[in-house]
Amino acid sequence: MVDSPNETAETRYGICKVCWAGCPVEVTVEDGRATKVVGDRQSPIYGGYTCPKGRAMPEAHYSPTRVLRPRKRMPDGSYIEIPMAQAIEEIAQRLEAIMEKHGPETIAVYPGNGNLTNPINPVIGAMFIMAMGTYPDRFFSVQTIDQAGKVIAQALHGRWMAGPQPFSTAKTWIMVGTNPVISKQGVMVNPGQTLKQAVKGGMKLIVIDPRATESTAHAFLHIAPQPGQDASILAGILRVILTEKLYDAQFVADNAIGIETLMAAVAPFTPEHVASVAGIAAEDVVLAARTFAEAESGCVVTATGAHFPLHGTLCEYLALSLNTVCGRWVRAGQPHAQPHVLLPDVPIHAQPYAPYQPWDHSRPSRINALPQTVVGAPTGTLPDEILTPGPGQVRALICSGSNPAVSLPDQNRAGRALSSLDLLVAIDVEMSNTARMADYVIPDRMALETPACSQFSESMKYYGIWTGGYEMPYAHYAAPVVAPPAGSDTIESWEFFYELARRLGKQIVYYGNAAGTGQHWDKPPVPFTLPLDRRPTTEEMFEAMCAGSRVPLEEVKQYIHGKVYDELDITVLPRAADCDAMLQLGDPTMMAELAAVFERRGDTANPSADFPLMLIPRRANDMMNSIGRTNPKLAARRSHNPAYLNPADLDRFGLASGDVISIRSEHGEIKGVVEAEPRLRPGTLSMSHCFGTNPDEADDPLGQGGCTSRLMDANAAFDPVFGQPRMGAIPVRIEAVAVAAT
Ligand SMILES: Nc1nc2c(c(=O)[nH]1)N[C@H]1C(S)=C(S)[C@@H](COP(=O)(O)OP(=O)(O)OC[C@H]3O[C@@H](n4cnc5c(=O)[nH]c(N)nc54)[C@H](O)[C@@H]3O)O[C@H]1N2
Ligand SMILES: Nc1nc2c(c(=O)[nH]1)N[C@H]1C(S)=C(S)[C@@H](COP(=O)(O)OP(=O)(O)OC[C@H]3O[C@@H](n4cnc5c(=O)[nH]c(N)nc54)[C@H](O)[C@@H]3O)O[C@H]1N2
Ligand code: SF4
Ligand SMILES: [Mo]
């Protein structure tokens, strides 16, 4: 250390939690501050991988814009700093007054992606609402404006206990509307490299995406369809496999029912029909089907691109059905590809959990009369739950690590709703779009200031296939790397909910090691009632989270770089003698939706003379939704979200890269900055979300970008079960606008 410019510099090890990939990191700490983050090269599986967001963690932690002490909004709109204890007391008093007058059902919670810092945070909001006696009606999460169709489809189809075949060794894979190289969805460990290796190992990768993405680089086949037509394409692939008898008849006979119903339902989806609806080549549908069915292993997976137009549940259901007819689930005697380490020690059998109906219409929601479901309240209705008078009108909202002012569909309506609340609390680290509207801003601890562990990643498999996790028995725990900056007054999100509940005289029951979802439980969760006399430590919460884990958390803590537990037997057992469950290929609700899709020739949103382009979503590598927009290092390169267009469309509209345009849907208007992208299907406009200013602030396309949510209508068309409005495949028109130079 003699030559070190700073003799106090030392290396510590942590986990990046900016996104759910959870990369192990090596952190240089000087004078108690993190000064540099790189990937931990000693990690047994990540091999030192990180992305720009992880390496910019020091700049986020010590950003001049970070909120370090609680802020209270004054009548003139300015903020003053107050001590944490006072903030909690004042918020509790205001909640008490609201409850007394209007009842507990007028208080809601909305957690988001800033909550990933610590695996207790994402779930504690639900447990707070349970303690209030209003679960699930007042628990709004991002799941119902994301891919809730995964859970719903899995309920209708049934879940294969041993899970899908592993990606890393598969011989084929069909990705529908997902770009894991950037998003890390599905593949958490260095996805670019993992994908390249898989292709090297013989995988025929098939990508269905209107854009040739980073994940398409090594693809065997790229199909670039008209947005929103994935259900027809998947039905077409199923039809080829079923009519050409390329499926695994034995697996189906042993494990599934409804194949005749499915055959009849997909029969009209001829390659020619699909080609004409989706604007693709009929031969590509046949090639995708044959390649998939003839390979010895591999899965079909869907993500946001397929889920954001309507019919996300149907797309997921058809993907599950494709996997089932081809027998693409892990069998007895094979290694479990989602092995438990910090999840409970339970026998894993090659057998299904039976389907169940995941909705209950007996107590419909106030807005749009939606059923209660296993995925919480329908977040697409949250603005109207706030704006619509009557019993149960939401009057107070606690946002933890979420940014509804830009993430909720229909930004203008969401903005009106948020500003009309009696009480808005934002647990955040920045004056985000939402924090700027909040009555109180509660500063959370950031990722390097809290402990972390990989149990959350293991458990993500219960929310459907292609959600994350590890294909080997890997576990990792990391202690906090640094303390919050001197002079700060911060609290972890979960601690805030605990303190608030305690002050309101409510006791939170935390459900640890929840190994399942809905009615499919490998092992029911272990309740841990949080004591009222003293706040548990985060470490105690971690113990509760990992209660009954296959490897004790204490043991996992010994390996600071993480460890692969090769010594664990992860062999899948045969179907149990008492199991008579079967997967369902012909669910009547899904079959009826498929018939409607055929009838209408696919999705209902199509380009027209007035709205000739289709807006589609994408993820930015440097940002995690809105996270990173204020990071000095990340935002220095670019702080807006470009409006990507094919060069042919630039010519068509007489535009050049850098031009500012107005983007208009039937519902709203935003500004965007054009950027040419030759690998994008002509006729589409591809743009990231969670950017832009608030509706009452001036547009700033070059600085803040544009908020694509403003183009969405919360009530025109939505999922009939969980209420997600159309968020993809949105017809828009564009025109150049003059913008004063800044
Ligand atoms: N138009 C459109 N809308 C969309 C989408 C889309 O593609 N298009 N995508 C949808 C999807 S999939 C999702 S998941 C949602 C995302 O919706 P949200 O989760 O609501 O949005 P984020 O931008 O992820 O919000 C993260 C917030 O956490 C804060 N934050 C950052 N670090 C920390 C921290 O350490 N602690 C705490 N407490 N807060 C922190 C950030 O400042 C930010 O305010 O958006 C949905 N909305
Ligand atoms: N770097 C980074 N990582 C993230 C996030 C982030 O903001 N930044 N967000 C996180 C969140 S909240 C989530 S939910 C996940 C999402 O993870 P993914 O679902 O993998 O998200 P994307 O990377 O946007 O990939 C979606 C793809 O769908 C394509 N697409 C758009 N419309 C259609 C369509 O109609 N049909 C088809 N077939 N494809 C279409 C888009 O071109 C895009 O390539 O990513 C997570 N990871
Ligand atoms: S933000 Fe980047 S470094 Fe951090 S966990 Fe995600 S992929 Fe890894
Ligand atoms: Mo998401």
Side-chain angles (χ1 to χ4, degrees):
M1 292 297 279
V2 197
D3 294 335
S4 163
N6 181 342
E7 291 187 10
T8 62
E10 62 171 300
T11 300
R12 296 183 192 161
Y13 297 94
I15 297 178
C16 174
K17 289 155 274 170
V18 178
C19 86
W20 53 59
C23 303
V25 289
E26 187 183 302
V27 186
T28 307
V29 179
E30 296 175 69
D31 299 326
R33 283 164 76 94
T35 53
K36 189 178 174 198
V37 169
V38 293
D40 180 358
R41 280 152 295 192
Q42 296 176 72
S43 162
I45 62 169
Y46 284 81
Y49 174 79
T50 49
C51 83
K53 302 183 291 298
R55 295 191 294 273
M57 274 200 286
E59 286 77 5
H61 281 60
Y62 310 112
S63 165
T65 55
R66 178 169 174 190
V67 178
L68 289 169
R69 285 169 292 280
R71 292 187 189 181
K72 176 184 180 178
R73 190 182 171 96
M74 304 310 286
D76 68 354
S78 66
Y79 285 87
I80 58 163
E81 291 187 345
I82 58 173
M84 187 65 74
Q86 183 189 336
I88 291 168
E89 178 57 30
E90 288 186 15
I91 292 166
Q93 282 180 18
R94 290 180 65 171
L95 288 176
E96 270 176 336
I98 293 169
M99 277 197 285
E100 208 163 283
K101 220 164 145 194
H102 307 289
E105 64 276 18
T106 60
I107 294 164
V109 164
Y110 171 63
N113 290 277
N115 258 329
L116 300 175
T117 42
N118 161 343
I120 311 295
N121 294 340
V123 295
I124 204 77
M127 289 149 197
F128 174 82
I129 287 297
M130 284 175 196
M132 302 288 281
T134 55
Y135 185 87
D137 303 23
R138 289 297 169 252
F139 176 69
F140 296 86
S141 82
V142 290
Q143 197 178 7
T144 49
I145 49 168
D146 186 335
Q147 300 154 76
K150 281 189 174 287
V151 176
I152 305 293
Q154 185 171 264
L156 298 175
H157 182 77
R159 182 171 87 81
W160 187 253
M161 191 191 219
Q165 293 176 343
F167 174 79
S168 45
T169 53
K171 296 301 172 207
T172 187
W173 207 265
I174 304 185
M175 293 181 182
V176 190
T178 181
N179 184 15
V181 169
I182 298 302
S183 70
K184 283 83 192 170
Q185 175 150 340
V187 187
M188 295 180 19
V189 181
N190 192 351
Q193 195 55 28
T194 303
L195 202 141
K196 207 166 143 187
Q197 287 302 329
V199 170
K200 246 189 178 167
M203 175 189 285
K204 285 186 172 167
L205 176 63
I206 299 169
V207 179
I208 302 179
D209 193 313
R211 181 166 62 101
T213 65
E214 295 79 352
S215 305
T216 318
H218 306 283
F220 162 77
L221 173 66
H222 172 216
I223 299 176
Q226 180 72 6
Q229 305 300 0
D230 300 294
S232 297
I233 300 171
L234 288 164
I237 293 175
L238 264 164
R239 183 188 184 278
V240 174
I241 291 174
L242 295 176
T243 54
E244 295 187 3
K245 302 212 179 316
L246 301 175
Y247 62 98
D248 185 336
Q250 190 60 52
F251 182 83
V252 173
D254 292 346
N255 298 291
I257 54 170
I259 189 154
E260 292 78 17
T261 311
L262 180 66
M263 278 183 179
V266 299
F269 290 87
T270 60
E272 294 68 31
H273 168 82
V274 173
S276 75
V277 162
I280 57 178
E283 309 83 76
D284 282 351
V285 178
V286 178
L287 178 61
R290 289 183 185 156
T291 306
F292 183 73
E294 283 162 5
E296 71 198 46
S297 62
C299 283
V300 183
V301 296
T302 73
T304 55
H307 284 252
F308 282 0
L310 302 181
H311 309 302
T313 305
L314 178 60
C315 288
E316 183 73 12
Y317 187 83
L318 295 173
L320 293 173
S321 299
L322 267 165
N323 293 329
T324 293
V325 297
C326 293
R328 294 305 162 73
W329 307 107
V330 170
R331 311 292 183 87
Q334 294 178 338
H336 186 201
Q338 302 174 321
H340 295 198
V341 181
L342 287 170
L343 281 177
D345 189 4
V346 286
I348 300 293
H349 295 270
Q351 67 188 43
Y353 283 104
Y356 64 97
Q357 190 180 293
W359 53 73
D360 171 7
H361 279 283
S362 65
R363 280 202 311 114
S365 64
R366 251 171 31 100
I367 307 301
N368 294 336
L370 296 161
Q372 288 195 324
T373 70
V374 293
V375 289
T379 297
T381 66
L382 178 56
D384 283 317
E385 285 281 7
I386 298 170
L387 291 167
T388 311
Q393 178 182 13
V394 171
R395 290 164 189 275
L397 180 66
I398 305 174
C399 298
S400 72
S402 58
N403 200 355
V406 281
S407 65
L408 292 184
D410 207 339
Q411 195 203 19
N412 286 329
R413 191 190 230 90
R416 277 202 307 283
L418 294 173
S419 56
S420 74
L421 285 162
D422 291 352
L423 178 67
L424 175 60
V425 177
I427 309 171
D428 211 303
V429 293
E430 292 284 337
M431 290 308 283
S432 67
N433 296 70
T434 305
R436 296 202 290 280
M437 305 172 90
D439 299 289
Y440 294 88
V441 185
I442 302 296
D444 194 4
R445 300 216 163 162
M446 291 189 79
L448 294 173
E449 299 159 359
T450 75
C453 90
S454 54
Q455 195 246 25
F456 182 69
S457 311
E458 273 182 48
S459 69
M460 281 166 75
K461 67 174 181 174
Y462 295 115
Y463 300 98
I465 56 169
W466 202 248
T467 45
Y470 300 103
E471 293 188 346
M472 68 289 281
Y474 169 81
H476 191 193
Y477 164 91
V481 173
V482 289
S488 61
D489 189 4
T490 56
I491 191 167
E492 290 197 54
S493 296
W494 81 264
E495 295 175 320
F496 175 78
F497 281 110
Y498 168 85
E499 292 298 345
L500 201 54
R502 173 157 75 169
R503 170 60 185 71
L504 295 171
K506 311 271 181 195
Q507 199 156 16
I508 291 182
V509 180
Y510 171 78
Y511 290 94
N513 229 345
T517 190
Q519 294 179 17
H520 296 158
W521 292 96
D522 289 343
K523 194 170 185 187
V526 185
F528 169 54
T529 304
L530 273 61
L532 284 179
D533 55 340
R534 65 172 188 94
R535 182 163 91 200
T537 62
T538 300
E539 287 302 331
E540 282 174 85
M541 295 300 289
F542 271 46
E543 286 298 333
M545 176 174 68
C546 297
S549 61
R550 183 149 192 210
V551 176
L553 180 60
E554 272 314 306
E555 159 82 25
V556 170
K557 284 183 181 178
Q558 310 302 313
Y559 300 91
I560 57 169
H561 306 292
K563 179 171 152 70
V564 178
Y565 289 83
D566 280 326
E567 63 274 26
L568 295 177
D569 183 358
I570 56 168
T571 312
V572 169
L573 304 169
R575 187 189 261 268
D578 64 349
C579 173
D580 57 6
M582 299 291 264
L583 299 168
Q584 171 60 278
L585 292 166
D587 175 78
T589 311
M590 292 291 99
M591 296 304 105
E593 191 174 328
L594 190 57
V597 165
F598 180 76
E599 198 98 323
R600 293 190 211 119
R601 293 188 49 80
D603 198 0
T604 46
N606 287 296
S608 64
D610 277 351
F611 300 100
L613 296 167
M614 297 293 270
L615 173 75
I616 59 168
R618 73 191 286 143
R619 260 70 196 157
N621 197 33
D622 285 1
M623 309 285 162
M624 170 69 178
N625 306 318
S626 69
I627 304 171
R629 285 174 50 196
T630 51
N631 184 304
K633 187 172 173 186
L634 296 172
R637 203 169 70 79
R638 182 174 64 206
S639 58
H640 70 275
N641 51 338
Y644 291 100
L645 288 162
N646 184 284
D649 287 321
L650 293 193
D651 288 348
R652 172 151 75 122
F653 293 97
L655 296 167
S657 285
D659 284 355
V660 176
I661 52 171
S662 139
I663 306 166
R664 212 179 273 276
S665 69
E666 256 184 27
H667 189 68
E669 193 251 350
I670 58 171
K671 305 260 181 331
V673 183
V674 171
E675 203 160 307
E677 181 164 356
R679 294 159 70 85
L680 185 62
R681 180 184 166 100
T684 52
L685 190 164
S686 161
M687 203 167 171
S688 297
H689 58 294
C690 284
F691 283 77
T693 52
N694 288 342
D696 63 348
E697 298 168 341
D699 286 343
D700 180 15
L702 281 155
Q704 301 286 310
C707 182
T708 53
S709 289
R710 210 177 283 184
L711 302 169
M712 290 160 195
D713 188 335
N715 296 312
F718 50 84
D719 182 278
V721 172
F722 50 90
Q724 179 161 331
R726 172 184 295 284
M727 291 168 60
I730 298 174
V732 293
R733 69 162 169 264
I734 57 173
E735 61 184 335
V737 292
V739 166
T742 44

